[in-house]
Short mmCIF file of all heavy atoms in Angstrom, two decimals:
data_model
loop_
_atom_site.label_atom_id
_atom_site.label_comp_id
_atom_site.label_asym_id
_atom_site.label_seq_id
_atom_site.Cartn_x
_atom_site.Cartn_y
_atom_site.Cartn_z
N THR A 85 -14.53 42.95 -22.75
CA THR A 85 -14.29 43.41 -24.15
C THR A 85 -14.84 42.27 -24.96
O THR A 85 -15.47 41.31 -24.49
CB THR A 85 -12.81 43.54 -24.34
OG1 THR A 85 -12.18 42.34 -24.11
CG2 THR A 85 -12.15 44.62 -23.57
N ASN A 86 -14.76 42.36 -26.18
CA ASN A 86 -15.27 41.33 -27.14
C ASN A 86 -14.31 40.14 -27.34
O ASN A 86 -14.58 39.36 -28.27
CB ASN A 86 -15.58 41.96 -28.47
CG ASN A 86 -16.68 42.85 -28.35
OD1 ASN A 86 -17.61 42.72 -27.60
ND2 ASN A 86 -16.75 43.95 -29.20
N MET A 87 -13.37 40.05 -26.43
CA MET A 87 -12.49 38.80 -26.49
C MET A 87 -13.33 37.60 -26.06
O MET A 87 -14.12 37.63 -25.15
CB MET A 87 -11.32 39.05 -25.48
CG MET A 87 -10.45 40.17 -25.81
SD MET A 87 -9.06 40.29 -24.60
CE MET A 87 -8.09 38.87 -25.10
N PRO A 88 -13.06 36.53 -26.85
CA PRO A 88 -13.78 35.31 -26.42
C PRO A 88 -13.36 34.80 -25.07
O PRO A 88 -12.13 34.78 -24.80
CB PRO A 88 -13.42 34.32 -27.55
CG PRO A 88 -12.14 34.85 -28.13
CD PRO A 88 -12.14 36.34 -27.94
N THR A 89 -14.26 34.39 -24.34
CA THR A 89 -13.95 33.97 -22.93
C THR A 89 -14.48 32.49 -22.79
O THR A 89 -15.45 32.05 -23.36
CB THR A 89 -14.53 34.69 -21.91
OG1 THR A 89 -15.94 34.76 -21.97
CG2 THR A 89 -14.02 36.17 -21.88
N ARG A 90 -13.77 31.68 -22.09
CA ARG A 90 -14.12 30.32 -21.74
C ARG A 90 -14.06 30.26 -20.24
O ARG A 90 -13.26 30.90 -19.57
CB ARG A 90 -13.17 29.38 -22.31
CG ARG A 90 -13.25 29.34 -23.88
CD ARG A 90 -12.16 28.28 -24.41
NE ARG A 90 -10.78 28.71 -24.08
CZ ARG A 90 -10.05 29.54 -24.88
NH1 ARG A 90 -10.56 30.20 -25.78
NH2 ARG A 90 -8.80 29.72 -24.48
N PRO A 91 -15.01 29.45 -19.72
CA PRO A 91 -14.87 29.36 -18.23
C PRO A 91 -13.66 28.62 -17.77
O PRO A 91 -13.00 27.85 -18.53
CB PRO A 91 -16.10 28.31 -17.96
CG PRO A 91 -16.51 27.81 -19.18
CD PRO A 91 -16.04 28.63 -20.27
N MET A 92 -13.13 29.09 -16.61
CA MET A 92 -11.92 28.50 -16.00
C MET A 92 -12.37 27.78 -14.81
O MET A 92 -13.12 28.26 -14.00
CB MET A 92 -10.97 29.56 -15.67
CG MET A 92 -9.71 29.07 -15.03
SD MET A 92 -8.68 30.43 -14.52
CE MET A 92 -7.07 29.59 -14.69
N PHE A 93 -11.84 26.48 -14.67
CA PHE A 93 -12.20 25.68 -13.51
C PHE A 93 -10.91 25.42 -12.73
O PHE A 93 -9.85 25.34 -13.34
CB PHE A 93 -12.80 24.41 -13.99
CG PHE A 93 -14.12 24.56 -14.61
CD1 PHE A 93 -14.22 24.67 -16.02
CD2 PHE A 93 -15.25 24.66 -13.93
CE1 PHE A 93 -15.42 24.95 -16.60
CE2 PHE A 93 -16.45 24.97 -14.47
CZ PHE A 93 -16.61 24.96 -15.91
N VAL A 94 -11.09 25.30 -11.45
CA VAL A 94 -9.95 24.91 -10.53
C VAL A 94 -10.40 23.65 -9.82
O VAL A 94 -11.59 23.55 -9.50
CB VAL A 94 -9.61 26.12 -9.57
CG1 VAL A 94 -8.67 25.63 -8.52
CG2 VAL A 94 -9.27 27.36 -10.25
N SER A 95 -9.41 22.76 -9.75
CA SER A 95 -9.73 21.51 -9.04
C SER A 95 -8.62 21.22 -8.09
O SER A 95 -7.52 21.48 -8.38
CB SER A 95 -9.94 20.42 -10.09
OG SER A 95 -10.30 19.14 -9.53
N TYR A 96 -8.94 20.62 -6.99
CA TYR A 96 -7.92 20.25 -6.01
C TYR A 96 -8.22 18.97 -5.28
O TYR A 96 -9.49 18.67 -5.16
CB TYR A 96 -7.49 21.30 -5.12
CG TYR A 96 -8.55 21.71 -4.20
CD1 TYR A 96 -8.71 21.04 -2.93
CD2 TYR A 96 -9.50 22.63 -4.52
CE1 TYR A 96 -9.78 21.44 -2.10
CE2 TYR A 96 -10.57 23.13 -3.65
CZ TYR A 96 -10.60 22.42 -2.45
OH TYR A 96 -11.68 22.73 -1.65
N ARG A 97 -7.36 18.18 -4.83
CA ARG A 97 -7.58 17.11 -3.89
C ARG A 97 -6.44 17.12 -2.92
O ARG A 97 -5.36 17.77 -3.17
CB ARG A 97 -7.58 15.80 -4.72
CG ARG A 97 -6.31 15.30 -5.18
CD ARG A 97 -6.43 13.95 -5.96
NE ARG A 97 -7.25 12.92 -5.33
CZ ARG A 97 -7.58 11.85 -5.87
NH1 ARG A 97 -7.29 11.59 -7.16
NH2 ARG A 97 -8.37 10.93 -5.28
N VAL A 98 -6.64 16.48 -1.73
CA VAL A 98 -5.62 16.51 -0.64
C VAL A 98 -5.19 15.11 -0.30
O VAL A 98 -6.02 14.19 -0.36
CB VAL A 98 -6.21 17.20 0.54
CG1 VAL A 98 -5.28 17.17 1.71
CG2 VAL A 98 -6.74 18.51 0.19
N MET A 99 -3.87 14.91 -0.05
CA MET A 99 -3.29 13.73 0.36
C MET A 99 -2.70 13.91 1.68
O MET A 99 -1.89 14.88 1.87
CB MET A 99 -2.27 13.20 -0.61
CG MET A 99 -1.74 11.87 -0.24
SD MET A 99 -0.63 11.20 -1.45
CE MET A 99 0.84 10.72 -0.52
N ILE A 100 -3.09 13.12 2.70
CA ILE A 100 -2.55 13.27 4.05
C ILE A 100 -2.00 11.90 4.47
O ILE A 100 -2.60 10.83 4.18
CB ILE A 100 -3.63 13.59 5.05
CG1 ILE A 100 -4.40 14.90 4.55
CG2 ILE A 100 -3.11 13.75 6.45
CD1 ILE A 100 -5.84 14.77 4.42
N MET A 101 -0.80 12.00 5.00
CA MET A 101 -0.20 10.81 5.55
C MET A 101 0.16 10.94 6.96
O MET A 101 0.71 12.00 7.48
CB MET A 101 1.20 10.58 4.78
CG MET A 101 1.96 9.35 5.20
SD MET A 101 1.15 7.78 4.80
CE MET A 101 1.65 7.57 3.21
N VAL A 102 -0.36 9.94 7.76
CA VAL A 102 -0.10 10.02 9.28
C VAL A 102 0.71 8.75 9.56
O VAL A 102 0.35 7.70 9.15
CB VAL A 102 -1.48 9.92 10.06
CG1 VAL A 102 -1.21 9.98 11.51
CG2 VAL A 102 -2.43 11.13 9.59
N LYS A 103 1.87 9.00 10.12
CA LYS A 103 2.75 7.86 10.43
C LYS A 103 3.49 8.05 11.73
O LYS A 103 3.80 9.16 12.12
CB LYS A 103 3.64 7.46 9.28
CG LYS A 103 4.72 8.40 9.04
CD LYS A 103 5.51 7.92 7.75
CE LYS A 103 6.88 8.59 7.66
NZ LYS A 103 7.70 7.96 6.62
#
Side-chain angles (χ1 to χ4, degrees):
T85 63
N86 290 330
M87 296 179 73
T89 59
R90 294 179 296 277
M92 177 183 209
F93 295 94
V94 176
S95 184
Y96 64 91
R97 77 184 309 173
V98 181
M99 183 173 130
I100 304 122
M101 181 63 88
V102 181
K103 71 179 194 176

